[in-house]
Amino acid sequence: MMPFERLRVIDATHVLAGPFAAYQMAVMGADVIKIDRPGDPDQVRLQGPDRELSAAGMGTTYLAQGANKRSAALDLKTAGGQEALKALLKDADVFIENYRPGALAALGLGYQDVARINPRIVYCSVSAFGQTGPRGPETGYDFVFQAVAGLMALTGTEESGPLRAGAPVVDYATGYMTAFAITAALYHRERTGRGQHIDLAMFDATLMLMSTHVTALTAGGKAPHPEGNRFNVAGVGAYDTADGLLMLGAANMRQQKRLWLALGRPDMVKTAHADRIDAHAEEAAVLREAMLTRTASDWETFFRHHGVPAGKVRPMEEALADPQLDHRGVLQPLPQPLGRAGEYRVPVAPFLMSEGNPTVRSPPPVLGQHTREVLAEAGIDDGRIAALIAEGAAVQAL
């Protein structure tokens, strides 16, 4: 049995963070119904390097987090769409939305409105800066939060200046934090019988990613600055080898001892961490010279044998070929969309369970693919369903 089996989640989110949270619940067995907007699809359906997929509303950005969901096309700006959503929410366990604060309440779909018809619902609002406060009404994206929260100021070098992370780390971290918050609220409901409203802010989530830096500033008075691949000890950092970069990770005192003994330099072993910091320039010079004598792969094998963490800086194609991923089942196959031959793979979850492993069971749906069946399950009669579908089709045609 899957952990979230028989749990129904209504996913009225768009872009990355909210849909990824719902996706994480879906791979754990929840029945996730994505509310798609006819005539105004989630922008990620239109994003990705494959133009044919994007033009069909099945962009690769959407494919990354759309599996195991069902799609119902509803225009929430209409009375019919609002009533249909209420019908779906009446028996749902979780509602996730990331509209601008106050937008759904203005439509009669705020937490208080929904709680009146379903007091057990866990209603999760994901927003830029939170539902209240001086910046509450603002919106934003991953890269905006990297900028305003100080994350970009930590990335890059003094020469390059601030850089954004190469992947949308804030979106995906927010998604995981959202899934955790929902799980906590569901556990609370099991003990109390009551649902609740979750107010989750992406700005706050970004700060969670910098906890050690925040503490270093507020407790130690040390303001962070971009250091590129340099760490405060030379045993941790990226070094040029005979054919590429190697990331060395001799972080603790035991590992640094193994590092220097493996390299035949017992004279470089330190007995205190502070001594490593003071000797950074000397140690880095020795390591730079040594690393050039072998390839990155050779060094990775060498250090692994000696119990020192190290890894070649690999392109994604090489990283995805690592047999460890197949062993773990992190990447799972789905049929190619648009009737194309073959399969593609998506990351599912970074953990395994002794019961109910996360898994993909169905491919991402096209917009509105399940409208009729999910509305019928909500008790809406055939005539009303036909009217709602026609209403959505009219909106799409505009």
Side-chain angles (χ1 to χ4, degrees):
M1 180 176 177
M2 300 291 290
F4 288 150
E5 200 169 309
R6 294 194 295 273
L7 196 76
R8 175 160 290 189
V9 177
I10 308 301
D11 172 16
T13 65
H14 51 281
V15 195
L16 286 181
F20 184 71
Y23 171 64
Q24 286 301 297
M25 302 196 74
V27 300
M28 298 305 294
D31 175 19
V32 177
I33 299 171
K34 178 174 176 58
I35 306 302
D36 272 310
R37 296 168 292 188
D40 184 20
D42 186 344
Q43 68 186 61
V44 297
R45 283 185 173 273
L46 314 177
Q47 293 177 348
D50 189 309
R51 292 190 176 187
E52 183 185 23
L53 290 177
S54 296
M58 298 294 284
T60 55
T61 309
Y62 164 68
L63 295 181
Q65 58 202 13
N68 291 6
K69 299 182 183 182
R70 296 191 286 169
S71 170
L74 296 176
D75 184 356
L76 300 186
K77 294 179 181 179
T78 68
Q82 294 159 18
E83 289 305 311
L85 180 59
K86 286 179 181 178
L88 292 173
L89 292 172
K90 184 178 180 181
D91 297 315
D93 297 286
V94 178
F95 179 49
I96 316 174
E97 60 92 8
N98 62 349
Y99 284 76
R100 178 179 49 80
L104 288 186
L107 299 175
L109 295 168
Y111 172 64
Q112 297 300 331
D113 304 301
V114 174
R116 276 193 287 272
I117 62 174
N118 183 357
R120 285 176 52 82
I121 199 163
V122 172
Y123 186 120
C124 183
S125 298
V126 182
S127 62
F129 293 94
Q131 297 298 300
T132 59
R135 302 193 69 171
E138 296 183 31
T139 58
Y141 290 98
D142 177 290
F143 42 85
V144 174
F145 301 114
Q146 289 193 42
V148 300
L151 182 58
M152 279 182 65
L154 305 178
T155 311
T157 65
E158 296 291 352
E159 294 73 27
S160 71
L163 295 172
R164 69 173 178 86
V169 293
V170 173
D171 274 323
Y172 287 125
T174 299
Y176 269 120
M177 294 177 200
T178 300
F180 174 74
I182 291 170
T183 302
L186 288 170
Y187 183 64
H188 177 268
R189 189 183 73 175
E190 285 299 303
R191 294 189 292 175
T192 66
R194 299 189 304 274
Q196 61 179 293
H197 185 209
I198 299 169
D199 173 5
L200 194 145
M202 293 187 70
F203 182 53
D204 301 354
T206 312
L207 292 179
M208 298 299 104
L209 297 177
M210 302 183 293
S211 294
T212 57
H213 295 88
V214 171
T215 305
L217 176 60
T218 59
K222 181 175 173 53
H225 61 278
E227 297 188 81
N229 292 325
R230 184 190 187 281
F231 290 76
N232 66 347
V233 292
V236 180
Y239 291 92
D240 286 312
T241 69
D243 70 345
L245 276 177
L246 179 85
M247 182 60 77
L248 191 57
N252 62 42
M253 297 304 293
R254 297 183 304 279
Q255 290 163 348
Q256 68 89 30
K257 181 177 181 179
R258 291 197 289 267
L259 166 69
W260 293 118
L261 293 179
L263 293 175
R265 292 299 303 269
D267 57 303
M268 301 294 288
V269 175
K270 306 296 187 297
T271 58
H273 185 75
D275 293 338
R276 299 181 69 195
I277 296 174
D278 294 339
H280 189 289
E282 177 191 5
E283 291 189 1
V286 173
L287 289 169
R288 280 195 296 268
E289 182 178 357
M291 293 301 104
L292 291 172
T293 63
R294 300 190 187 190
T295 68
S297 294
D298 287 344
W299 279 121
E300 184 176 334
T301 302
F302 174 84
F303 284 124
R304 183 185 302 140
H305 175 74
H306 288 280
V308 178
K312 175 186 175 182
V313 177
R314 302 186 287 186
M316 183 174 288
E317 298 93 325
E318 190 175 340
L320 296 188
D322 194 313
Q324 183 68 14
L325 295 178
D326 288 336
H327 175 76
R328 297 279 300 172
V330 177
L331 302 175
Q332 295 182 18
L334 287 167
Q336 287 279 3
L338 307 186
R340 294 177 175 180
E343 298 175 327
Y344 69 99
R345 296 187 297 167
V346 292
V348 178
F351 55 86
L352 297 174
M353 302 178 71
S354 58
E355 292 186 43
N357 274 333
T359 184
V360 290
R361 303 176 302 281
S362 60
V366 299
L367 194 152
Q369 180 176 334
H370 304 95
T371 303
R372 189 176 297 278
E373 70 179 56
V374 299
L375 294 183
E377 291 169 3
I380 299 176
D381 63 66
D382 290 345
R384 187 64 187 133
I385 291 174
L388 286 167
I389 291 175
E391 181 180 83
V395 171
Q396 285 181 291
L398 294 178

